[in-house]
Amino acid sequence: MTDRELLQGIIERDQAAFKLLVENHQQLVIRTCYSLVHDLEDAQDLAQEVFIEILKSASSFRGAAKLSSWIYRIAVNKSLNHLKSTRRRNAFTLFSFQDKNGLAKEEEIGDLNSSAGGDSVMEEKELKEALHVALNRLPANQKIAFILHNYEELPYKEIAEVMNVSLSSVESLIHRAKLNLQKRLTNYYHLNMK
């Protein structure tokens, strides 16, 4: 089934078409939301909101971009809106959950096995936490471009479609994100090596 046929089925409220859309894009949406909000439950809830939004606005899809780019854009926007509202609600709580270095404590998802490799597992977990904190401190557009390219492996052209910016803007955003991450992680390691 082509993207156009799939969308037409969704517009006509064909349950099989909607089910196929969810099956084909659910993991992509959850991964995208998780990479921005860093909470699996929130990412799953946001994924549901994304698919509800797709159901509501399928008739407004112009087809100028690929269907997957449109879905990414909705997922990114829902995630950013969630982050904004969460930050407003939990500003005080965020400060109370920081360790002595000011690093936010958050639950990790991953394949870390705490029973094997002791020190290396802890180092990997600390590195992931440092990267997570550094990513969260990037300006929103840099963070989105970096995540879509490095975690979702989208080509620059598709990132430009998702973010509704030029190709050169995407290149610049990713370059600046890398420089900022390098600077922050270098500072992190200098502080922790002393």
Side-chain angles (χ1 to χ4, degrees):
M1 187 177 277
T2 68
D3 286 351
R4 180 58 53 201
E5 292 169 337
L6 193 59
L7 273 171
Q8 190 57 43
I10 291 168
I11 292 167
E12 294 169 0
R13 300 295 192 241
D14 178 355
Q15 289 183 352
F18 187 70
K19 182 179 178 186
L20 182 61
L21 177 86
V22 172
E23 287 173 358
N24 289 345
H25 297 280
Q26 184 174 27
Q27 290 306 312
L28 169 143
V29 170
I30 291 172
R31 261 194 341 263
T32 301
C33 293
Y34 178 78
S35 65
L36 292 165
V37 301
H38 302 289
D39 182 281
L40 185 57
E41 286 182 28
D42 286 348
Q44 290 168 336
D45 291 344
L46 287 166
Q48 288 181 359
E49 290 181 30
V50 168
F51 288 110
I52 290 169
E53 180 68 28
I54 291 168
L55 192 58
K56 287 180 184 176
S57 58
S59 60
S60 67
F61 179 68
R62 296 181 310 261
K66 292 181 354 186
L67 177 62
S68 61
S69 298
W70 183 60
I71 293 170
Y72 270 116
R73 185 177 303 142
I74 293 170
V76 166
N77 288 338
K78 291 281 183 194
S79 298
L80 291 177
N81 289 339
H82 171 77
L83 287 172
K84 286 177 191 172
S85 67
T86 301
R87 282 187 186 127
R88 277 187 229 124
R89 279 193 322 260
N90 299 329
F92 179 75
T93 308
L94 286 175
F95 291 112
S96 65
F97 289 106
Q98 293 182 346
D99 69 10
K100 65 181 179 182
N101 296 317
L103 299 175
K105 297 284 190 178
E106 295 196 15
E107 199 173 304
E108 291 279 336
I109 6 178
D111 300 320
L112 295 179
N113 181 351
S114 58
S115 63
D119 288 341
S120 65
V121 170
M122 286 304 293
E123 287 172 12
E124 186 175 344
K125 189 171 184 176
E126 286 175 13
L127 177 61
K128 283 184 178 184
E129 187 173 306
L131 179 59
H132 168 77
V133 170
L135 272 170
N136 280 337
R137 291 185 177 157
L138 289 176
N141 280 348
Q142 288 180 25
K143 178 180 176 181
I144 292 165
F146 184 84
I147 287 172
L148 291 177
H149 180 66
N150 290 288
Y151 291 90
E152 298 301 322
E153 300 177 354
L154 292 184
Y156 285 10
K157 183 179 180 194
E158 192 167 354
I159 295 169
E161 290 173 2
V162 169
M163 296 182 69
N164 202 24
V165 296
S166 69
L167 192 58
S168 60
S169 293
V170 170
E171 292 169 351
S172 176
L173 288 168
I174 291 173
H175 177 71
R176 287 191 313 236
K178 287 177 182 178
L179 291 176
N180 285 332
L181 287 172
Q182 182 180 21
K183 179 181 173 185
R184 288 173 198 220
L185 291 173
T186 300
N187 289 341
Y188 170 79
Y189 279 109
H190 284 291
L191 287 173
N192 288 314
M193 293 299 182
K194 291 180 180 179

